[in-house]
Amino acid sequence: MLPFGGYMLVNSYIEQSTLNEILAHGDEATADVTRAYGEVNKAGEAPSYLVTLAWIDKSGRQQAYGPTHISFGKIVWS
């Protein structure tokens, strides 16, 4: 268990370092939800959705991502 714990500690540090680098030098983008549909859930589970996102990049071309899974608590509508 000790080697596994050490591996997880080092891996976590590396990933956090990468995230901090992205946040410090990355770009933010605002995307439009171009498609959204509910997923079939088991009885009693919170609703979740699949969405497709689209945005215009710096060169003026439309980019798309998805479908990707989101849960109801993480949706921000504007």
Side-chain angles (χ1 to χ4, degrees):
M1 292 299 281
L2 189 57
F4 179 71
Y7 166 77
M8 293 300 292
L9 179 67
V10 170
N11 191 38
S12 175
Y13 177 77
I14 291 169
E15 287 183 8
Q16 183 65 35
S17 176
T18 302
L19 175 62
N20 289 336
E21 185 72 19
I22 291 169
L23 291 175
H25 302 290
D27 294 324
E28 291 186 25
T30 301
D32 295 320
V33 176
T34 57
R35 183 176 181 203
Y37 48 96
E39 285 191 303
V40 177
N41 294 335
K42 296 178 185 173
E45 286 186 352
S48 62
Y49 303 89
L50 289 174
V51 297
T52 302
L53 306 172
W55 65 96
I56 305 298
D57 66 11
K58 290 180 181 178
S59 65
R61 294 184 350 187
Q62 183 171 352
Q63 302 292 323
Y65 178 78
T68 186
H69 173 83
I70 60 171
S71 60
F72 185 69
K74 296 179 184 177
I75 299 174
V76 178
W77 300 102
S78 60

